[in-house]
Amino acid sequence: MRRLSNEVRRYAWGSTTAIPRLLGVPADGGPQAELWLGAHPGAPSMLRTDDGPVGFDEVISADPKGVLGERAVARFGERLPFLLKVLAAEQPLSLQVHPDAVRARAGYAAEDAAGIPVDAPHRNYRDPFHKPELVLALEPFEALCGFRAPAAARAELAGIPGELAATLRADLSAPGPGTALRAAMTRLLTLPGARRGALVTELVAGLAGGAAAGRGVPAARAAEPGAHAATVLELADRYPGDPGAVAALLLNRITLRPGEALFLPAGNVHAYLRGTAVEVMASSDNVLRAGLTGKHVDPAELLDVVDFSVLPIPYAQGRAVGGRSEYRPEADDFALSVMGPGAVRTVLPGGVPWVVLALSGRAELGCTGGAPLTLRQGESAFATAAEGPVTITGRGHFVAATVGGG
């Protein structure tokens, strides 16, 4: 086992305090959005050795089967297929969706063949991998996730004046929920550029209370907007004229309590709004954005990737296994184990790699043939497939990520 040194990603939407608090370091006033633990080429962790820090990718290259395990190498090649993160959102992230594996491979190959540089701002596919993800709330965590029934979205627009509200009501009245939602989302993503801002602003003003006053209800007595309308107003304030703010009406608005989790498969439109969480995902950079961003939006590609089904909110349930809760969603790339808060005594199976992070407290980690290692809050370690099983004994709150399946 080796301790990890991990990079903090400073995106504008990040919290200024949550990650410094976890790591036990002073906040510097700047946003710190994500802590990455893994071998993703965008920000690989470093493993601490007696000879100094060594890149995670170098360790894998030196002994792929010993580090990752034969099953992982046979399934994913000589790469760590998962990435563990701590995500700390003070402001909303972009409205986005991830492709499935088939689409990711095809899109990456097509853009390569077209000669589009992999780091070009207008490129959709940065790698040939899919990006399912699981998010586990550490505090109340707010998000938009998947489509709700068109009738519910249409009801939010009842009585709202203006061209966009009227056309969205018509779109959402189409027979079949998938057809209705596709029509509404397509309209929002393809609004004419010259009029987009005005159309969105008019609808947002109606949601803000002008419609109620216009129907003869005094503005002072107008009802407070519901959760969806309030979300639209908040997003529109941050991103004026962005149709992605209006798209919030089409989606489920949820708050995860601490310890609750979501699994987001390919095609699920989502946006994280605020809160701190642990996130584990397939190690990929493929994100197709629908709005709430200054980055590239490709409406045609995104509409082909989105799943317009009305489905239950994809809560993920952990399974009690040997003193821990284990999350194994429908993704072979990753699994997540959660230990605590409280007394911890568990054994992580051998034959697979493990990344372990202490969220609070203190624990002793032990493995085959190696000296024990102590983890305290904010510290992390990596155990190779050859070193397992890994025992964890202590008190606190810990998470551990590994490959999924089986």
Side-chain angles (χ1 to χ4, degrees):
M1 285 185 296
R2 297 292 182 184
R3 295 185 185 276
L4 294 176
S5 297
N6 309 298
E7 184 170 325
V8 174
R9 307 293 275 182
R10 292 176 171 270
Y11 307 131
W13 48 263
S15 166
T16 58
T17 58
I19 289 178
R21 185 167 60 246
L22 169 67
L23 298 178
V25 299
D28 60 12
Q32 300 188 34
E34 296 180 347
L35 178 70
W36 286 26
L37 298 88
H40 190 285
S45 299
M46 304 295 290
L47 277 70
R48 303 181 198 172
T49 73
D50 294 339
D51 298 323
V54 179
F56 212 143
D57 53 347
E58 296 178 63
V59 173
I60 293 171
S61 297
D63 182 14
K65 289 185 179 179
V67 172
L68 302 174
E70 291 190 8
R71 181 171 63 87
V73 171
R75 173 68 177 83
F76 302 103
E78 297 179 359
R79 55 183 290 268
L80 190 71
F82 64 86
L83 176 64
L84 180 65
K85 294 182 180 180
V86 176
L87 186 153
E90 197 166 282
Q91 301 176 24
L93 284 68
S94 62
L95 188 65
Q96 60 188 258
V97 67
H98 306 301
D100 63 20
V102 173
R103 188 80 181 202
R105 285 194 298 270
Y108 180 79
E111 290 185 323
D112 260 6
I116 302 173
V118 73
D119 58 352
H122 63 287
R123 179 149 180 161
N124 291 318
Y125 297 96
R126 308 285 178 182
D127 55 62
F129 307 114
H130 67 166
K131 192 186 176 186
E133 56 194 39
L134 183 142
V135 60
L136 174 80
L138 299 179
E139 63 181 27
F141 190 82
E142 301 174 36
L144 298 167
C145 173
F147 290 104
R148 60 178 180 152
R154 189 173 66 245
E156 300 269 2
L157 294 167
I160 302 298
E163 179 182 339
L164 182 55
T167 52
L168 286 174
R169 284 194 296 268
D171 292 333
L172 293 167
S173 300
T179 301
L181 291 165
R182 179 181 286 276
M185 196 71 170
T186 300
R187 184 173 302 281
L188 289 172
L189 290 175
T190 58
L191 290 173
R195 304 183 58 223
R196 181 185 301 128
L199 290 167
V200 170
T201 299
E202 181 183 45
L203 188 151
V204 170
L207 286 173
R215 292 196 300 269
V217 179
R221 292 176 52 202
E224 289 293 320
H228 283 80
T231 301
V232 173
L233 300 183
E234 177 187 352
L235 295 175
D237 185 56
R238 294 187 182 277
Y239 300 95
D242 191 325
V246 179
L249 293 175
L250 310 179
L251 305 174
N252 295 301
R253 172 69 163 79
I254 64 172
T255 300
L256 295 177
R257 293 171 296 190
E260 290 186 323
L262 285 176
F263 172 61
L264 299 169
N268 185 296
V269 179
H270 60 279
Y272 300 145
L273 302 177
R274 65 178 59 83
T276 305
V278 168
E279 189 177 29
V280 61
M281 62 185 64
S283 187
S284 170
D285 244 352
N286 287 325
V287 179
L288 296 167
R289 295 175 176 85
L292 311 181
T293 180
K295 295 182 179 180
H296 176 59
V297 176
D298 184 338
E301 185 69 17
L302 183 134
L303 290 167
D304 277 349
V305 168
V306 169
D307 181 353
F308 287 99
S309 304
V310 177
L311 299 171
I313 296 169
Y315 293 111
Q317 300 297 327
R319 182 172 67 99
V321 179
R324 64 185 188 277
S325 293
E326 189 176 75
Y327 295 83
R328 290 187 177 271
E330 296 177 5
D332 287 349
D333 309 73
F334 60 81
L336 183 72
S337 286
V338 182
M339 295 140 283
V344 171
R345 186 175 182 82
T346 193
V347 179
L348 305 177
V352 291
W354 288 95
V355 172
V356 185
L357 170 66
L359 298 169
S360 67
R362 176 181 180 276
E364 297 290 326
L365 277 61
C367 66
T368 303
L373 185 152
T374 300
L375 281 191
R376 295 177 176 83
Q377 178 178 314
E379 295 179 335
S380 56
F382 175 69
T384 70
E387 290 175 314
V390 178
T391 62
I392 303 180
T393 307
R395 177 172 290 277
H397 194 188
F398 307 86
V399 291
T402 188
V403 294

